[in-house]
Amino acid sequence: MDEQTAKYTVEVLKALKTKHEKWVHSRLHTVQTYSGPTRVILKDPERPVVLPKITTGKQAWNVVHKSHGYMLESPDEDEASAEACDSADVFLTSARDWGEVSLEVEDQGRTGIREAERSMRELLDELASHNLIAFGASVDMVLRGGGGPDIDWKTAVIVVRLKEAVGDIDSLIVIFGDLMDLPSFEPESPDQPRAEMG
């Protein structure tokens, strides 16, 4: 170019530079969109989701803190007493409520967080009095659809099960279906607990 000044004038070089900058911008700023139905899917569908046993209020807080969505399941009344089911429902509702206000709680500092942890700890003790165990984790998902780009969607997944149904396991392995609207968790056996969400 330096030796072909008649061909590569200042105007030509500026035009080439502008064209190249537009090309780079279009490549770097292209947003992949999905025009299908809006749904929540796993960020990494190849990786199994493990729900550890929740034994402390701090663990419960960490599951719900800053969550965008919640997938909660309690035992059915044909599996547990009405009182046990009510206890599970109160725990799950409270966990979701704390998650929904977790940013405001965090603004209160450690005192607010400790209050949330204590509240959830008391409810975990109530679950244990009914022979119930909670399993849960914060799962990385994405909200896809509506013609826009994927949006990170941190989801708190919590399952409450009768102790006799799961034994002494420390975690459940969850298999998610494509769509997240019909959760169903069923351990296959105490040795290999698995759950499906479809």
Side-chain angles (χ1 to χ4, degrees):
M1 287 185 189
D2 291 341
E3 295 175 5
Q4 300 179 43
T5 55
K7 182 176 180 182
Y8 294 104
T9 63
V10 171
E11 292 77 21
V12 170
L13 291 174
K14 284 183 179 181
L16 287 171
K17 180 181 177 199
T18 301
K19 183 178 178 185
H20 180 70
E21 287 173 345
K22 286 181 181 178
W23 178 84
V24 169
H25 185 271
S26 72
R27 292 291 187 248
L28 294 179
H29 294 89
T30 299
V31 177
Q32 297 291 333
T33 61
Y34 169 79
S35 60
T38 302
R39 58 191 182 152
V40 176
I41 61 171
L42 281 174
K43 197 169 203 174
D44 183 1
E46 301 299 318
R47 189 172 162 205
V49 175
V50 178
L51 304 181
K53 187 186 300 182
I54 301 174
T55 58
T56 68
K58 185 173 187 175
Q59 287 173 311
W61 168 258
N62 288 334
V63 169
V64 299
H65 183 226
K66 296 183 180 177
S67 287
H68 298 105
Y70 303 87
M71 301 182 83
L72 312 170
E73 186 170 299
S74 60
D76 293 328
E77 287 205 4
D78 58 349
E79 299 170 340
S81 69
E83 295 82 14
C85 291
D86 290 345
S87 177
D89 293 343
V90 168
F91 170 73
L92 293 171
T93 300
S94 178
R96 185 191 64 225
D97 290 347
W98 281 115
E100 289 178 350
V101 297
S102 64
L103 293 177
E104 290 83 358
V105 171
E106 191 175 50
D107 288 344
Q108 298 172 14
R110 190 67 200 135
T111 303
I113 294 170
R114 179 110 36 217
E115 179 186 344
E117 291 172 351
R118 284 179 183 151
S119 170
M120 288 190 276
R121 174 70 229 189
E122 290 170 7
L123 293 171
L124 284 167
D125 290 342
E126 179 66 19
L127 288 181
S129 75
H130 293 286
N131 290 319
L132 295 171
I133 300 173
F135 298 88
S138 178
V139 179
D140 290 328
M141 296 187 175
V142 293
L143 181 65
R144 176 173 290 169
D150 286 355
I151 298 170
D152 287 339
W153 198 260
K154 181 179 169 187
T155 303
V157 180
I158 304 175
V159 180
V160 177
R161 285 286 178 259
L162 276 171
K163 184 172 177 32
E164 65 190 44
V166 294
D168 292 328
I169 62 171
D170 292 324
S171 60
L172 286 176
I173 298 172
V174 181
I175 300 171
F176 285 89
D178 194 29
L179 298 175
M180 299 293 118
D181 55 347
L182 297 171
S184 174
F185 296 85
E186 294 300 331
E188 290 178 356
S189 73
D191 297 333
Q192 254 190 326
R194 298 176 74 82
E196 286 196 18
M197 292 189 73

